[in-house]
Amino acid sequence: MELDPDDVFRDDEDDPENEALRQRASSKELVVYLVDASPKMFSTNCPSEDQKDESHFRIAISCILESLKTQIINRSYDEVAVCFFNTREKKNLQDLNSVFVFNVADREFLDRPTAKFIKELSRLEEFFVKEIGSQHGIVSGSRENSLYNALWVAQALLRKGSAKTADKRILIFTDEDDPFGNIKGGAKADMTRTTLQRVKDAQDLGISIELLPLSQLDREFNVSLFYADLIGLQGEDLAQFVPAAGERMEDMKYQLRKRMFKKRIVRKLTFSVANGVSIEVHTYAFIRPTVLGSITWLDSVTNQPIKIERSFICADTGALMQEPPKHFQTYKNQNVKFSVEELSEIKRVSTGQLRLLGFKPLSCLKDYHNLRPSTFIFPSDEEVIGSTRIFIALHRSMIRLNRFAVAFYGTSSHSQLVALVAQEEIIDSGGQVEPPGMHMICLPYSDDIRHAEELHSGTNAAIPRANEDQIKKAAALIKRIDLKDFSVYQFANPGLQRHYAILQALALEEDDLPEIKDETVPDEEGLARPGVVKAIEEFKLSVYGDKYDESDNAGHKKVSEASKKRKALADGAVQKSAQYNWDALADSGKLKDLTVVELKFYLSAHDLPVSGKKEDLVKRILTHMGK
């Protein structure tokens, strides 16, 4: 196989398939939604935006549905299960009472969400009471504990996968702040103790448990009665929990379609600090641009992903090649052969992943040196004990001396100089705003930097410059239209939102597309405010003067060369078309005797399409002439 230079020197890190595999392996999430199905959850006492009452059960299902729809976009490899407790019927592998795991055919209990699963879950409330049923699973005088059983089932579902490669969570939806309130004496203490012990066992296995409480209109959910001990709330966190949980449910119900990466490790690196001293660091991605998902080819019959396999056949014998193929490069009329291992060794630039080279003042780092979004790095003592101590010492020294570190970063085939910029921790009354650590900024190569050419550099004309009054008016205008507390999350890409909406409608067989709000259109109401209008008029007056009339310059737009060329061709076609008697040619049937070029004279002169075969052009002319 002849060597392809572009293929030999392609960066392994830029391979989208490898990136997808790394993401799938290192950032998988397993989630079990535990929904309380007691009769209290079906009481309609919460008004929605359309002024109709919604039950707490419906609110919980709506949140889960929106979360699943967004999850398919955000994290397509995550797996979920929906489990109801306090039910009349039971459906779980442990055969425990009052617990029903919802599922559809051809899907495991804990599996990736599918369109069929989401469709069935959306209409669950219609047949829930008849086919599954609702009841109080914790009743006085009975030893049955439906909450304990639900946690046991959820823990069993999350045995799938390793805690090192997947995040495991249990989310509880309930409006009952004291599940054992009807029980008195030793029975209540025993149920509370066994339930909390079950929670501790799950947490010891790396499973995090979260609560999403649903408050009544006349009474707020009291976390301190039971669930504070279950999820480990104390002090100020206890007082702020219910409002924060309410905001989170709103986010789940009305969240934007965007690809989000939670606090997950993108990659683990070995950071060589000095001779013989290396530490372990983890990298995290903060913000990345959202792009369309990659195309997955499916079998037309089974609708399963197609697996592509490649085999090499000997050109002489027609037999399948069992040994791996070798590449060759012709040199001095001889074919020099290379194995895959030899090519990998030739491409090797460095054996280290991240190696410190030196330090430079922060003033040497410019804004235009940042080629793409930075990566955040943080130390870890999982494999190299003492990494955090060395990292902290380096971090503090860089902040104290106002220095950034220059390091080599890359794989065996990709070399890149990066700047490590230390960041201090920022804390306000609401908690941590910025974490301590370092930002890894990819530095440009020498040919990546382009020096902008100065205006009129080749002429003797004076360069127009703004005077002090114009600068002052421009600054006042910018101040008026400046966006307060701007965040990139305020504006969604309308093209991507519509793309996701169409995919959702096709997958769920919905008749109507979800309404997409384009937040990038100009704010006409905001621009019409008196203060903004005044600032705009003052800026125009300072730049153009009081005698400037926009209507005089409305038609004086620069015409491109392509427009001039099209206009010249159209004028030429009109002149050549006038040389023919088209009516006589049409009546005598001699249009078909003309050439294609001649027929196009008529079409171009009358702004008609000129594409197609000769017969199509003749029919188009006759149709236009009404014959």
Side-chain angles (χ1 to χ4, degrees):
M1 181 183 296
E2 188 174 1
L3 284 175
D4 181 4
D6 294 334
D7 183 63
V8 170
F9 295 103
R10 181 180 292 120
D11 297 333
D12 296 338
E13 284 202 346
D14 295 336
D15 188 353
E17 294 183 0
N18 291 344
E19 181 65 28
L21 291 175
R22 284 199 300 270
Q23 177 189 332
R24 179 177 181 178
S26 63
S27 61
K28 192 174 184 179
E29 188 174 63
L30 308 178
V31 182
V32 176
Y33 296 99
L34 284 185
V35 182
D36 187 357
S38 63
K40 187 178 177 183
M41 285 283 289
F42 289 86
S43 59
T44 56
N45 54 0
C46 289
S48 61
E49 285 188 346
D50 55 3
Q51 303 302 320
K52 294 182 180 180
D53 288 343
E54 279 191 342
S55 65
H56 283 163
F57 184 84
R58 181 58 193 168
I59 292 174
I61 295 299
S62 299
C63 291
I64 295 173
L65 284 171
E66 292 303 319
S67 180
L68 293 180
K69 292 175 185 177
T70 309
Q71 178 182 326
I72 294 178
I73 301 169
N74 292 351
R75 304 175 300 274
S76 59
Y77 295 109
D78 291 353
E79 300 180 7
V80 300
V82 178
C83 180
F84 300 97
F85 63 99
N86 289 327
T87 59
R88 183 185 69 245
E89 303 295 331
K90 61 180 179 179
K91 181 182 177 182
N92 55 83
L93 297 178
Q94 290 72 28
D95 199 32
L96 297 175
N97 293 327
S98 303
V99 180
F100 190 96
V101 180
F102 176 79
N103 202 12
V104 294
D106 300 326
R107 184 182 180 275
E108 298 180 9
F109 280 159
L110 182 69
D111 206 343
R112 296 166 61 180
T114 62
K116 183 178 180 181
F117 181 79
I118 294 176
K119 286 177 61 178
E120 292 298 320
L121 183 61
S122 64
R123 53 183 294 269
L124 175 66
E125 195 175 10
E126 301 174 6
F127 58 86
F128 186 90
V129 176
K130 180 180 179 181
E131 298 186 10
I132 300 176
S134 172
Q135 68 177 13
H136 292 287
I138 303 172
V139 183
S140 180
S142 171
R143 306 299 296 177
E144 200 66 53
N145 186 342
S146 59
L147 179 58
Y148 176 89
N149 293 345
L151 291 170
W152 188 354
V153 171
Q155 179 181 331
L157 290 172
L158 293 174
R159 288 176 184 169
K160 183 178 181 180
S162 171
K164 294 182 178 180
T165 59
D167 295 331
K168 302 182 178 182
R169 295 192 299 145
I170 299 176
L171 272 67
I172 304 175
F173 292 83
T174 183
D175 60 359
E176 182 57 73
D177 49 16
D178 189 7
F180 309 116
N182 297 330
I183 305 175
K184 307 296 181 182
K188 179 176 182 179
D190 183 56
M191 282 192 175
T192 302
R193 179 184 56 80
T194 54
T195 304
L196 294 179
Q197 183 60 44
R198 170 59 60 187
V199 170
K200 186 178 182 304
D201 294 342
Q203 291 172 342
D204 291 340
L205 294 175
I207 301 173
S208 63
I209 300 179
E210 305 171 28
L211 173 67
L212 292 172
L214 295 158
S215 299
Q216 303 289 337
L217 287 176
D218 55 348
R219 187 174 65 87
E220 191 176 75
F221 194 96
N222 191 350
V223 190
S224 59
L225 291 178
F226 171 74
Y227 282 100
D229 295 330
L230 187 143
I231 58 180
L233 289 176
Q234 294 178 354
E236 295 181 359
D237 295 337
L238 186 61
Q240 299 174 358
F241 176 76
V242 173
E247 293 178 1
R248 183 178 176 189
M249 288 197 65
E250 288 295 316
D251 292 340
M252 289 181 64
K253 194 172 182 180
Y254 304 106
Q255 57 188 321
L256 185 68
R257 294 180 179 89
K258 56 190 175 186
R259 187 163 182 78
M260 296 183 65
F261 296 89
K262 294 196 174 182
K263 186 181 177 182
R264 300 175 180 174
I265 301 170
V266 175
R267 195 176 182 189
K268 297 180 180 180
L269 299 176
T270 300
F271 185 14
S272 300
V273 180
N275 294 332
V277 179
S278 297
I279 63 175
E280 180 188 5
V281 294
H282 292 171
T283 62
Y284 301 87
F286 279 170
I287 298 178
R288 292 292 185 268
T290 303
V291 296
L292 296 177
S294 58
I295 297 176
T296 302
W297 297 100
L298 304 177
D299 185 86
S300 59
V301 178
T302 63
N303 205 37
Q304 296 297 317
I306 296 176
K307 183 179 179 181
I308 300 176
E309 295 182 354
R310 182 173 60 178
S311 300
F312 292 96
I313 301 176
C314 179
D316 297 330
T317 63
L320 289 176
M321 302 291 294
Q322 302 298 331
E323 298 181 358
K326 290 188 176 182
H327 301 270
F328 71 90
Q329 179 66 42
T330 303
Y331 180 73
K332 291 186 177 181
N333 298 325
Q334 291 185 354
N335 293 333
V336 182
K337 297 180 180 179
F338 299 91
S339 64
V340 176
E341 292 77 13
E342 290 172 334
L343 278 176
S344 178
E345 192 64 28
I346 292 173
K347 294 164 59 178
R348 184 179 300 277
V349 178
S350 173
T351 57
Q353 294 179 311
L354 185 63
R355 186 173 71 251
L356 181 63
L357 301 179
F359 301 91
K360 298 192 74 172
L362 281 172
S363 58
C364 297
L365 189 63
K366 306 300 180 183
D367 292 340
Y368 57 83
H369 288 162
N370 193 5
L371 291 180
R372 54 179 181 266
S374 63
T375 305
F376 191 75
I377 64 175
F378 200 78
S380 172
D381 289 335
E382 291 182 4
E383 297 182 6
V384 181
I385 305 300
S387 296
T388 303
R389 288 188 175 184
I390 297 177
F391 188 89
I392 291 175
L394 183 63
H395 179 269
R396 289 177 177 175
S397 299
M398 291 168 60
I399 291 178
R400 179 171 51 86
L401 299 173
N402 288 326
R403 296 288 193 272
F404 73 91
V406 180
F408 171 88
Y409 169 69
T411 60
S412 60
S413 61
H414 177 69
S415 60
Q416 180 77 57
L417 289 181
V418 296
L420 304 180
V421 182
Q423 171 180 279
E424 291 188 273
E425 183 180 23
I426 301 176
I427 301 177
D428 64 3
S429 58
Q432 188 185 73
V433 178
E434 296 289 349
M438 295 185 188
H439 289 279
M440 186 168 65
I441 299 173
C442 293
L443 297 176
Y445 295 95
S446 59
D447 55 356
D448 286 331
I449 300 177
R450 302 288 190 271
H451 298 284
E453 297 179 0
E454 293 188 4
L455 185 64
H456 305 301
S457 59
T459 65
N460 296 324
I463 299 176
R465 297 185 181 277
N467 56 39
E468 292 295 331
D469 182 65
Q470 292 172 344
I471 294 175
K472 183 179 178 181
K473 293 297 190 296
L477 174 59
I478 295 299
K479 186 177 180 180
R480 280 287 183 181
I481 62 176
D482 185 30
L483 299 176
K484 306 299 181 183
D485 301 324
F486 171 77
S487 171
V488 292
Y489 293 114
Q490 293 175 342
F491 303 97
N493 186 330
L496 285 176
Q497 300 307 304
R498 180 168 177 78
H499 170 77
Y500 292 140
I502 293 174
L503 289 183
Q504 175 182 317
L506 290 174
L508 301 182
E509 299 179 355
E510 298 174 344
D511 295 332
D512 299 326
L513 288 176
E515 183 179 354
I516 302 300
K517 182 180 179 181
D518 189 351
E519 298 171 335
T520 62
V521 297
D523 182 11
E524 297 182 0
E525 182 180 350
L527 293 175
R529 296 197 305 266
V532 177
V533 173
K534 181 181 178 182
I536 294 175
E537 293 299 328
E538 290 180 351
F539 174 72
K540 288 167 56 178
L541 183 63
S542 65
V543 175
Y544 300 108
D546 55 355
K547 297 183 179 180
Y548 177 75
D549 188 1
E550 294 183 4
S551 60
D552 294 340
N553 296 278
H556 294 279
K557 296 182 179 179
K558 186 176 180 180
V559 182
S560 63
E561 292 297 329
S563 300
K564 293 179 180 178
K565 186 176 181 180
R566 286 194 298 269
K567 187 175 184 305
L569 292 175
D571 293 341
V574 171
Q575 295 176 1
K576 293 179 180 179
S577 175
Q579 300 174 5
Y580 295 83
N581 188 345
W582 296 102
D583 289 328
L585 292 172
D587 294 337
S588 61
K590 295 183 178 180
L591 281 178
K592 61 180 181 297
D593 297 334
L594 298 178
T595 64
V596 172
V597 175
E598 291 175 319
L599 293 173
K600 287 183 178 181
F601 291 156
Y602 179 92
L603 297 173
S604 299
H606 293 84
D607 294 329
L608 296 175
V610 295
S611 60
K613 297 180 180 179
K614 185 176 181 179
E615 292 79 5
D616 299 330
L617 303 183
V618 173
K619 290 180 181 179
R620 199 170 297 151
I621 294 174
L622 293 174
T623 302
H624 182 263
M625 297 176 66
K627 297 185 179 181

